[in-house]
Amino acid sequence: MQKSFQIKLSDNWRIQSSNKVSEKGSEISTKATISENWFPAVVPSTVLSTLVANKVYENPYFGENLKTIPTEQFKVSWWYTTSFELTKEQSNGFGTLKFDGINYKANVWLNGQLIADASVIDGAFRITSFDVSTNIKSGSNILAIEVIPPQPGDFSIGFVDWNPSPPDGDMGIFRPVTLHLHGGVQIEKPFVQTKVNLETLKEADITVSAELINYSNTAITGDLIGTIGAAVFKKSINLAPKKKELITFDSTEFVGLNFKEPKLWWPINLGNPDLYDLGLKFVAKEEVLDTAQLRFGIRDIQDYWLNEIHRGYKVNGQKVLIKGAGWTDDLLLMDTDESIEAQVKYVKQMNLNCIRLEGFWGKDHKLYDLCDEHGILLMVGWSCHWEHEIHMGVPVNERFGGVYKPEHISHVAQAWEDQVIWLRNHPSIFVWTVASDKVPITELEQKYIDTFAKYDPTRPYLNSTGGVGSDQHVIGSEDVISEISGSSGVKMLGPYAYTAPVYWFTDTKFGGAYGFNTETGPGAQVPQLESLKKMIPQEQLWPMGDAWNYHCGRYEFADLSRFNKAIEEKYGAPKSLEEFDKKAQAMNYELMRPMFEAFQVNKKKSTGIVQWMLNAAWPKMYWQLYDYYLNPTAAFYATQKACLPLSLIYNYGDKHIYAINDHLRSVENLSAHIRVYSIGSEILFEDRVNFTMDPDSSKSILALGELKGLTTTYFVDLRLLDKKGEEIANNFYWLSTKEEVLDYEADLGPFAFHTPSKVYADFTQLNELPKTQLQQSHYFEQDGEQQNIKVELKNNSEHIAFLINLKVVDKKTGELILPIFWEDNFINLLPGEERMVCANFKGTSEAELKVEGWNI
């Protein structure tokens, strides 16, 4: 008989400000009528997201609406309450009430009784649970939670310079609340460790552990039984009353836990991300008192040192060049499962293999589960939000940030332990990052190390995502060196704003392609026109009004001045919003691609690159590969092109053509077709090169050298062909004889956040490109809940068709259909060239294709 149930308390909640509630928790948790007229809510949620859902505040992300939301109302506590039904049998059993995350403190009442107060539920990242066996009852149960908002100096959820702060500080019950019913013994903290034979990859030892807690007043004897596929393992346990015991199964005792020919978990492009299911149950007297399930992957994570300076990572013994981007949750924590799933698919489409979470993001395990399933590596750890006074609201220690007092060290160390236990079974997490811009104070780092030894010895940790080169004080005034673990072996030296393509190939002091750059990027990535119209009031769209700046970053990143200057210098000053959109996307593409490509080219001296950022917490102009509405910018497709596992790349530094192979196997009988075109589309140079690629390699296959007859703006077209002569990759560059010159001597003050240009490249001849005749045909096909589109394009003119942008809109509404997964976009067609491009998207509405481009 089964006595184990998990009841997620997610629906039928109501919330109200304590300013409008006179009753105490003992009354609210006994009289359902008290909350009848409160705001309907769900959990997880924040207070403000609930008010938005109830249309108290509509369209908060449009224009400057966010500024108008009064913040005084969020300086007092808010009540959350819900009711749930239990049968007599359920109420006679045992129950544990678990809170995965409340921001920031809480008093909890159940059926008139105080279960826990704010001295126990204290901290956004604390995970707490309480025995409510004597508090639950048959029939209706009422739970009432008084949520107390975070104060300056609290270790709360935080956003940094990416966007404005949420007006409510994201106060609320932002992670699940679960009632766990069981038969007296509860299975807690199940954990699977895997050890792969790295010499053969043909066997792996599995160790399974879990804590058993006896909540009853009598001793209980039973069997803890585990299953992984066909492997079954069992131990007989005698648990004393009110006692806890850690139970471990390993391959020395259970031969079935030595897996032969295991299906390993691999990141994208290196193999399949295979997963296994563990089931645990505790059985006493033929009754199942409790169960637990989890998914895990068999894989080995190690770090290594490059030239004893730079840290890199190995998965299953194989070095992996980390190619990632930085994640943020929605500003009001309103992410949906559908949005998260689309974003993980976008990451995979861009050929990225990593997401960096600056913070423990996510309302639940959804993001982590999807990364497990898709083979996306995760960097997980604390945000720099706690390291700077401007974000914490209280003074901090220059070297260690906000955590330096004994009581804070103890608090954060416990929160860290809770998060590690919550997430440690996810194979996608390859490193814990215990600090961002700074290093933890020694006492705190030692507590972290103790937690790893006890709860997760399976993966390395980073003492900081800054480190190498920190003596240059690009970010902060202190060297990022730990007294325990020395340098992190990674770097955070910028840039974060406009930076020319050549920088990534030639810089050897800051953010260029060497070592592991944990956050960097060429600055603003302005959304496409349709998104701009959704976020900026029409009267401010053109010329640009103040709302544009409000939707930029903060501090040094509070406007588009550097981006706009570069557009004007390179492409010519736009005369309309439509022209700005066209030129902004061209620059998005031009600036993003070489960053990733430089790290690909420099595989032998690079170990990782993280674009700052991947996504958007709200509609914004800065740091994103796709925007808040899930509309890709041109930088999205530039990243997709740059991170192809097999490709050809133009090196802006030495002007050579490089071939890249990310695969773990050699690839033979390849050929490159290389052409250089004038602005008038005349061929100025053409060559073919045959070559073979070693596994995981990069090499120069041709030096372009000094070319004759170049126009000020010219094009380089690269085609990679297989042994049958069929095209497997293409790449297309617009270049200038007026080369960009970097200004390393520029005085940017205490924060050297980018390397500006003394001289800009000249692409103004693009404005003279003749119009091209583009022939297109396409068809849609319905495939269940999904539609596919196939587009045939042909350039019927004698001139290059530049940056063709394909869009699909809903025929009735005219709205863009998003998310959408194009196999390529912002494409270029040579004179007479034909190409087929496919995409898929969800939905059954009638759709139509829009074809736009620079010179169509």
Side-chain angles (χ1 to χ4, degrees):
M1 185 177 173
Q2 177 92 350
K3 292 203 168 184
S4 172
F5 299 93
Q6 299 259 5
I7 302 174
K8 277 202 170 176
L9 303 178
S10 56
D11 300 321
N12 304 315
W13 288 83
R14 292 186 174 274
I15 74 165
Q16 186 56 273
S17 167
S18 61
N19 273 349
K20 298 182 179 180
V21 178
S22 58
E23 296 87 352
K24 298 186 184 303
S26 55
E27 295 176 82
I28 298 169
S29 63
T30 51
K31 298 176 184 175
T33 53
I34 292 173
S35 61
E36 274 180 347
N37 296 318
W38 294 8
F39 296 107
V42 296
V43 164
S45 66
T46 65
V47 170
L48 183 50
S49 72
T50 301
L51 297 181
V52 170
N54 282 279
K55 300 191 184 306
V56 176
Y57 302 106
E58 297 194 59
N59 215 352
Y61 294 167
F62 181 73
E64 300 180 71
N65 288 354
L66 200 68
K67 284 182 180 178
T68 67
I69 297 175
T71 57
E72 284 298 315
Q73 62 187 318
F74 306 121
K75 293 179 179 176
V76 300
S77 61
W78 279 68
W79 284 99
Y80 277 70
T81 186
T82 190
S83 62
F84 55 91
E85 298 286 325
L86 294 179
T87 65
K88 185 175 182 181
E89 183 183 24
Q90 288 173 329
S91 66
N92 287 339
F94 295 82
T96 303
L97 189 61
K98 184 180 181 187
F99 301 98
D100 282 346
I102 295 178
N103 188 24
Y104 188 76
K105 298 181 180 183
N107 298 307
V108 178
W109 299 77
L110 178 60
N111 296 330
Q113 298 297 311
L114 181 67
I115 301 301
D117 64 22
S119 68
V120 181
I121 301 182
D122 175 8
F125 296 101
R126 291 296 318 281
I127 296 176
T128 51
S129 59
F130 306 95
D131 183 3
V132 294
S133 305
T134 60
N135 306 98
I136 53 178
K137 64 180 185 178
S138 177
S140 180
N141 294 254
I142 302 178
L143 178 65
I145 303 169
E146 183 187 14
V147 177
I148 299 166
Q151 304 298 319
D154 281 342
F155 301 100
S156 179
I157 298 163
F159 299 85
V160 189
D161 49 10
W162 325 323
N163 41 252
S165 299
D168 66 341
D170 280 336
M171 70 178 296
I173 305 175
F174 74 101
R175 283 183 175 156
V177 177
T178 308
L179 178 64
H180 186 152
L181 302 175
H182 56 89
V185 171
Q186 185 172 317
I187 301 170
E188 275 286 301
K189 301 175 183 175
F191 183 36
V192 179
Q193 299 181 60
T194 65
K195 186 171 179 58
V196 178
N197 182 332
L198 295 179
E199 290 184 7
T200 66
L201 302 184
K202 298 294 185 184
E203 65 175 332
D205 289 310
I206 312 295
T207 301
V208 177
S209 62
E211 289 182 4
L212 294 183
I213 305 173
N214 183 356
Y215 282 92
S216 77
N217 294 315
T218 59
I220 297 179
T221 300
D223 293 328
L224 181 61
I225 304 168
T227 58
I228 302 172
V232 181
F233 38 97
K234 178 173 75 171
K235 276 189 178 181
S236 294
I237 314 293
N238 181 262
L239 275 176
K242 304 294 183 181
K243 291 295 182 183
K244 176 172 69 177
E245 188 174 340
L246 178 67
I247 311 300
T248 302
F249 303 91
D250 62 34
S251 59
T252 60
E253 193 176 0
F254 299 91
V255 177
L257 291 177
N258 176 259
F259 278 40
K260 306 297 183 186
E261 303 290 339
K263 293 181 176 180
L264 299 181
W265 187 93
W266 288 97
I268 185 173
N269 289 333
L270 295 184
N272 292 325
D274 283 304
L275 296 169
Y276 289 80
D277 291 296
L278 166 70
L280 289 172
K281 61 182 178 179
F282 186 80
V283 182
K285 297 180 180 177
E286 299 185 350
E287 287 189 328
V288 178
L289 302 192
D290 201 17
T291 62
Q293 297 82 32
L294 64 86
R295 301 192 86 188
F296 69 95
I298 299 176
R299 59 98 175 97
D300 180 276
I301 302 288
Q302 295 177 334
D303 52 7
Y304 71 94
W305 290 88
L306 182 65
N307 302 326
E308 299 182 355
I309 300 172
H310 303 291
R311 192 187 299 266
Y313 291 91
K314 295 180 180 180
V315 179
N316 301 327
Q318 175 63 43
K319 292 179 181 178
V320 178
L321 175 63
I322 301 300
K323 291 172 282 191
W327 176 280
T328 177
D329 280 2
D330 177 271
L331 183 62
L332 304 184
L333 309 188
M334 297 189 296
D335 288 304
T336 64
D337 286 357
E338 293 75 21
S339 166
I340 295 169
E341 185 169 5
Q343 292 183 73
V344 171
K345 287 182 177 177
Y346 270 170
V347 171
K348 193 172 182 180
Q349 183 185 332
M350 285 186 282
N351 298 302
L352 297 175
N353 59 17
C354 172
I355 296 172
R356 179 184 165 201
L357 309 185
E358 188 176 332
F360 284 95
W361 289 115
K363 57 185 171 52
D364 52 25
H365 283 260
K366 184 67 175 179
L367 172 62
Y368 306 89
D369 289 340
L370 287 167
C371 288
D372 292 344
E373 293 166 18
H374 288 280
I376 307 297
L377 294 162
L378 283 168
M379 301 176 71
V380 181
W382 296 135
S383 163
C384 72
H385 171 240
W386 303 347
E387 295 175 338
H388 302 280
E389 181 175 346
I390 199 168
H391 307 308
M392 278 290 279
V394 296
V396 301
N397 181 287
E398 274 302 306
R399 186 173 179 198
F400 303 117
V403 192
Y404 59 93
K405 297 178 180 177
E407 65 271 25
H408 295 159
I409 291 170
S410 175
H411 175 101
V412 170
Q414 185 59 59
W416 180 267
E417 181 179 298
D418 291 349
Q419 297 303 299
V420 166
I421 292 168
W422 192 60
L423 294 172
R424 61 184 173 172
N425 287 300
H426 290 283
S428 52
I429 298 174
F430 74 99
V431 64
W432 300 114
T433 57
V434 301
S436 181
D437 300 0
K438 303 188 178 184
V439 288
I441 197 167
T442 307
E443 297 88 338
L444 180 58
E445 186 174 356
Q446 187 57 55
K447 286 181 179 290
Y448 291 153
I449 291 168
D450 295 343
T451 291
F452 295 134
K454 185 175 182 180
Y455 291 110
D456 183 24
T458 69
R459 47 174 72 83
Y461 82 99
L462 271 179
N463 60 33
S464 175
T465 50
V468 177
S470 63
D471 57 329
Q472 299 177 61
H473 303 156
V474 173
I475 297 178
S477 60
E478 297 284 328
D479 296 0
V480 184
I481 302 290
S482 159
E483 293 173 3
I484 295 178
S485 49
S487 169
S488 64
V490 300
K491 64 178 183 175
M492 188 193 291
L493 302 172
Y496 296 93
Y498 175 86
T499 300
V502 69
Y503 170 92
W504 304 103
F505 291 94
T506 58
D507 173 77
T508 57
K509 289 184 178 180
F510 300 107
Y514 68 95
F516 191 158
N517 196 339
T518 59
E519 58 174 59
T520 191
Q525 284 91 45
V526 173
Q528 293 200 58
L529 184 61
E530 292 84 354
S531 296
L532 292 173
K533 290 179 176 179
K534 280 186 176 181
M535 57 197 273
I536 306 294
Q538 186 174 358
E539 67 274 12
Q540 292 200 45
L541 274 168
W542 197 263
M544 294 179 181
D546 291 342
W548 283 74
N549 292 342
Y550 189 57
H551 286 265
C552 287
R554 299 167 75 188
Y555 319 124
E556 294 89 351
F557 311 106
D559 60 46
L560 286 173
S561 56
R562 293 175 294 269
F563 188 85
N564 288 342
K565 178 176 172 57
I567 282 187
E568 291 173 13
E569 294 279 351
K570 299 175 79 161
Y571 293 90
K575 296 180 178 63
S576 66
L577 179 64
E578 290 70 22
E579 187 183 348
F580 172 82
D581 171 53
K582 183 172 71 171
K583 291 180 174 179
Q585 296 312 316
M587 202 162 79
N588 282 344
Y589 200 115
E590 178 218 349
L591 298 185
M592 185 58 66
R593 177 174 53 181
M595 181 183 76
F596 282 107
E597 288 187 335
F599 280 78
Q600 292 270 69
V601 163
N602 288 320
K603 275 174 176 285
K604 290 181 181 176
K605 63 176 186 177
S606 299
T607 60
I609 170 74
V610 177
Q611 146 68 10
W612 201 251
M613 302 170 69
L614 171 71
N615 62 350
W618 83 314
K620 65 175 184 175
M621 307 292 175
Y622 261 84
W623 302 324
Q624 59 196 344
L625 295 174
Y626 50 88
D627 67 30
Y628 180 77
Y629 309 105
L630 304 185
N631 190 7
T633 70
F636 177 108
Y637 300 103
T639 301
Q640 179 179 337
K641 189 74 70 177
C643 296
L644 283 169
L646 204 58
S647 65
L648 298 174
I649 288 171
Y650 172 78
N651 182 326
Y652 285 80
D654 64 14
K655 301 180 183 177
H656 285 220
I657 306 302
Y658 282 76
I660 305 297
N661 179 21
D662 278 354
H663 297 298
L664 302 184
R665 64 183 188 277
S666 60
V667 185
E668 299 180 345
N669 300 318
L670 294 170
S671 63
H673 186 190
I674 300 159
R675 284 170 285 191
V676 177
Y677 287 85
S678 71
I679 193 68
S681 301
E682 299 102 0
I683 291 184
L684 304 176
F685 173 87
E686 184 170 15
D687 200 359
R688 293 180 183 268
V689 181
N690 298 319
F691 60 98
T692 292
M693 292 299 292
D694 293 333
D696 191 25
S697 64
S698 153
K699 70 177 181 182
S700 169
I701 59 168
L702 180 76
L704 277 183
E706 294 298 322
L707 299 174
K708 294 180 180 179
L710 293 178
T711 47
T712 306
T713 302
Y714 62 99
F715 304 107
V716 173
D717 181 74
L718 307 177
R719 306 296 170 110
L720 180 62
L721 312 173
D722 64 14
K723 60 185 177 183
K724 296 178 182 175
E726 294 179 358
E727 183 179 307
I728 53 178
N730 60 70
N731 220 343
F732 186 89
Y733 298 83
W734 51 106
L735 303 172
S736 175
T737 55
K738 184 185 176 187
E739 296 184 14
E740 203 124 355
V741 179
L742 301 172
D743 186 2
Y744 280 106
E745 286 72 44
D747 182 6
L748 299 172
F751 180 18
F753 57 90
H754 75 133
T755 299
S757 295
K758 288 181 186 176
V759 176
Y760 290 87
D762 181 359
F763 296 130
T764 53
Q765 283 188 326
L766 291 171
N767 298 318
E768 302 162 18
L769 276 177
K771 294 290 184 185
T772 53
Q773 297 298 316
L774 198 64
Q775 178 183 323
Q776 67 91 2
S777 62
H778 67 276
Y779 66 89
F780 294 94
E781 59 182 12
Q782 195 72 42
D783 182 10
E785 296 181 356
Q786 178 175 286
Q787 285 192 63
N788 302 321
I789 180 174
K790 291 187 177 179
V791 184
E792 292 274 4
L793 297 171
K794 184 177 181 183
N795 180 3
N796 282 325
S797 75
E798 297 179 353
H799 296 277
I800 290 167
F802 186 55
L803 290 184
I804 301 164
N805 184 7
L806 304 174
K807 301 175 179 179
V808 175
V809 299
D810 185 295
K811 202 164 187 176
K812 283 184 181 176
T813 66
E815 292 282 318
L816 282 180
I817 293 178
L818 298 168
I820 189 165
F821 302 90
W822 287 104
E823 61 185 16
D824 197 6
N825 209 346
F826 289 92
I827 61 179
N828 305 278
L829 291 182
L830 302 177
E833 183 179 4
E834 298 180 47
R835 190 176 304 175
M836 184 171 78
V837 188
C838 302
N840 64 75
F841 53 91
K842 277 188 177 177
T844 56
S845 299
E846 192 175 358
E848 61 183 9
L849 176 70
K850 287 175 67 177
V851 181
E852 300 175 356
W854 186 283
N855 62 327
I856 294 173

